[in-house]
Amino acid sequence: PPKMEKLLLALGEVVQSRVNLRILDELNEKDKDELDQLSSSAKSAEEIQNFLKAKIPDLENIVTTVIAESKEELVERAKMLNP
């Protein structure tokens, strides 16, 4: 159903935003500037991903953790709506 698709897209955007914030927390100012330059110069997603992996060795674990935390939060909120 279209309503479910919209909800899933919105949830995906929320998770992506949380991942981005966590990544920015891990980078120093110089690396943030370099990431900004990479992003604004239309580099490929693969190049940006490689940059992040080089700067944040634990990147995959961070992403997995953010996804798990978001999922848990969603489950808790659903429980509150349907006691």
Side-chain angles (χ1 to χ4, degrees):
K3 199 172 192 181
M4 182 61 86
E5 288 176 19
K6 286 183 183 179
L7 177 62
L8 291 174
L9 285 173
L11 289 172
E13 289 174 8
V14 168
V15 171
Q16 184 63 49
S17 293
R18 289 178 178 186
V19 167
N20 291 343
L21 288 173
R22 190 72 65 89
I23 287 170
L24 290 175
D25 284 346
E26 296 290 320
L27 295 175
N28 62 38
E29 290 304 316
K30 180 182 177 224
D31 291 340
K32 287 178 187 177
D33 289 343
E34 192 173 343
L35 176 60
D36 188 46
Q37 289 175 354
L38 281 173
S39 298
S40 64
S41 64
K43 295 291 182 182
S44 73
E46 184 178 343
E47 288 177 277
I48 293 170
Q49 185 75 13
N50 289 338
F51 169 80
L52 291 173
K53 284 181 180 178
K55 298 297 180 177
I56 308 170
D58 200 25
L59 180 63
E60 288 184 32
N61 186 46
I62 290 170
V63 171
T64 301
T65 300
V66 170
I67 291 169
E69 290 170 352
S70 298
K71 181 180 174 183
E72 181 64 29
E73 182 181 333
L74 180 62
V75 168
E76 290 302 315
R77 287 184 181 196
K79 286 179 184 177
M80 289 175 15
L81 292 173
N82 297 313

